[in-house]
Amino acid sequence: GVYIRKVDLRSVQKFRCSACLKYFSTQTGRYDYYLKRVDINLSVFRQICTGVAYSDIARNLDINYKAVTSRVKRYGSAATKALRKTHVHKPLREKIMFDELETCEHTKCKPVTVAIAVDPQTREVLNFELGAIAAKGHLAKISRRKYGHRPCERKFVLTRLFKSFEHIAADNCTFYSDKSTHYPGFVKKYFPNAKHE
């Protein structure tokens, strides 16, 4: 059968599984499944892409802050699925460039590391991972006093990044990075036949 969505009056096709007898529709599994305000999705997405803060987006659209954060998670899941689909049909990469950048959550006392990998020829983003790291320098003591011990997840982040290369990188792939002492060990561990420059 068909039902009409109240929020945008769009007709949605329904189906029934002959094996388990459960119902589903063309809306099932979409990033906007069960969202009541689909009219703001594009506006939220565009503002996120231009670097507007979540609280400012919520204020601009007169919505709850949680409505913005829930959409960001949905966009991330949808983008990850789309990225995996594109990698399935592409030949294995011969060259991968990777690096880390440091930023913070909402204060410099809560730094995070973001590991990112790109194709150096097309500049296509292959994957990125992020995790918490401890504050450094004069902020270290302030961070511990305010927020307690902050574990360093750099090793965990790089492990996840390199494990994601298993299905997209050739065995003799050439990896490019800066001269960080952390990187050669990861390249050798996951790709023993690879070249690291």
Side-chain angles (χ1 to χ4, degrees):
V2 174
Y3 72 91
I4 306 297
R5 287 205 316 181
K6 291 179 183 178
V7 67
D8 58 358
L9 302 179
R10 184 169 69 86
S11 62
V12 179
Q13 179 70 49
K14 287 174 65 179
F15 305 94
R16 187 185 184 196
C17 177
S18 57
C20 66
L21 304 180
K22 288 185 178 179
Y23 290 94
F24 61 98
S25 70
T26 52
Q27 187 66 17
T28 306
R30 283 175 51 101
Y31 82 94
D32 59 350
Y33 185 55
Y34 266 117
L35 284 180
K36 292 178 182 176
R37 292 284 310 272
V38 295
D39 56 312
I40 61 170
N41 289 348
L42 186 59
S43 184
V44 170
F45 182 75
R46 283 181 175 160
Q47 290 187 59
I48 288 167
C49 291
T50 55
V52 180
Y54 294 2
S55 55
D56 291 337
I57 295 172
R59 193 167 36 256
N60 293 343
L61 299 174
D62 196 24
I63 57 175
N64 192 308
Y65 178 86
K66 290 180 182 177
V68 179
T69 56
S70 72
R71 278 166 176 77
V72 171
K73 289 177 184 175
R74 287 170 182 257
Y75 297 150
S77 298
T80 303
K81 286 177 186 174
L83 200 60
R84 284 183 182 148
K85 282 182 184 176
T86 59
H87 292 327
V88 167
H89 303 293
K90 287 190 175 180
L92 294 175
R93 310 283 173 155
E94 298 292 332
K95 296 178 179 179
I96 293 178
M97 185 178 285
F98 68 96
D99 198 5
E100 289 176 282
L101 66 90
E102 288 185 16
T103 184
C104 57
E105 288 181 47
H106 70 278
T107 168
K108 289 182 180 179
C109 291
K110 285 186 173 181
V112 293
T113 180
V114 182
I116 186 166
V118 298
D119 185 316
Q121 293 167 321
T122 64
R123 297 189 180 187
E124 179 187 353
V125 176
L126 304 175
N127 192 20
F128 73 91
E129 300 286 344
L130 64 133
I133 54 174
K136 300 171 188 169
H138 70 282
L139 292 173
K141 195 180 284 186
I142 299 168
S143 176
R144 281 194 300 271
R145 190 176 68 241
K146 278 188 169 184
Y147 306 107
H149 173 70
R150 192 168 170 83
C152 183
E153 297 177 348
R154 176 171 271 128
K155 188 176 179 182
F156 178 64
V157 165
L158 287 170
T159 299
R160 284 193 308 191
L161 187 74
F162 273 86
K163 282 187 176 178
S164 73
F165 296 156
E166 290 175 357
H167 303 297
I168 61 171
D171 192 44
N172 61 344
C173 178
T174 303
F175 289 94
Y176 299 92
S177 71
D178 59 20
K179 292 183 178 181
S180 172
T181 54
H182 297 97
Y183 300 154
F186 281 95
V187 174
K188 195 170 184 180
K189 180 179 178 181
Y190 291 99
F191 293 92
N193 301 323
K195 187 179 177 185
H196 183 209
E197 292 185 8

